[in-house]
Amino acid sequence: FIQLSVDNLVKVLRDAAIFVVIILILFLLDVRTTLITLTALPLSLAVAFLVLWACGLSINVMTLGGLAVAIGELVDDAIIDVENVFRRLRENAAKPAGERASVLQVVYRASNEIRSSVVFATVIICMVFVPLLFLQGLEGRFFRPLGIAYIVSTFASLVVALTVTPVLCRLLLGKTGAAGHGESGLVRWLKRRYERSLQWALRRGKTVLAGSALATAASLWLVSTFGT
């Protein structure tokens, strides 16, 4: 039974890595950005295991379940950081030679641009699992380790994104990391479609807000009706 849980975690880790590779290649067209992002997975899990061990928690079915649930979140912060750094390096490379900043300055500024939003988003996501820590009785014994594993691994991914990811961007992307790289065809296609839909929504702001309010009310009614 324990081996089955470990195998499931390995499968989730494998599938997450495959999806990350496909998405980053499609959107950024650069193998190095994919490698930088993928390092967040094993590093975040390693930090999470060390923290769990330091807190006296064992690796059991529930902690493995929490790690499996958090797999998709572990690369989120790193992806945001890498994408912004890559975009700023591309913009810097397009400037005249006399106006270009150093790669270190570009990476530092690009990482700081998204720092607060990444931290706030991670904290908000972890807050969702905080109620699990206060469950009592049998439910608490089951779900508390899951919540702890999720929160610890998610914060571990934040630490990796704040420290390791910018350093890897500096080392792997190098002085010509984004030079000559334009936006992929998929990104250009999505931007054209999004621009049209955004203009339509802005021109019909009241209609959009009314539709969202109706959808929210309908969902609440469905939950209250069929949930009971």
Side-chain angles (χ1 to χ4, degrees), residues 104-119:
L104 182 61
Q105 290 177 332
V106 174
V107 172
Y108 176 78
R109 294 170 183 170
S111 297
N112 275 335
E113 284 179 358
I114 50 86
R115 190 65 63 232
S116 58
S117 59
V118 167
V119 172

Side-chain angles (χ1 to χ4, degrees), residues 133-157:
L133 306 181
F134 299 96
L135 290 176
Q136 302 296 324
L138 184 63
E139 295 82 2
R141 296 183 65 182
F142 268 103
F143 292 106
R144 195 179 298 117
L146 185 147
I148 293 175
Y150 183 93
I151 293 172
V152 168
S153 59
T154 303
F155 273 113
S157 70

Side-chain angles (χ1 to χ4, degrees), residues 30-47:
D30 193 276
V31 177
R32 291 165 298 177
T33 58
T34 304
L35 294 176
I36 295 171
T37 305
L38 287 179
T39 56
L41 278 174
L43 282 177
S44 300
L45 288 176
V47 173

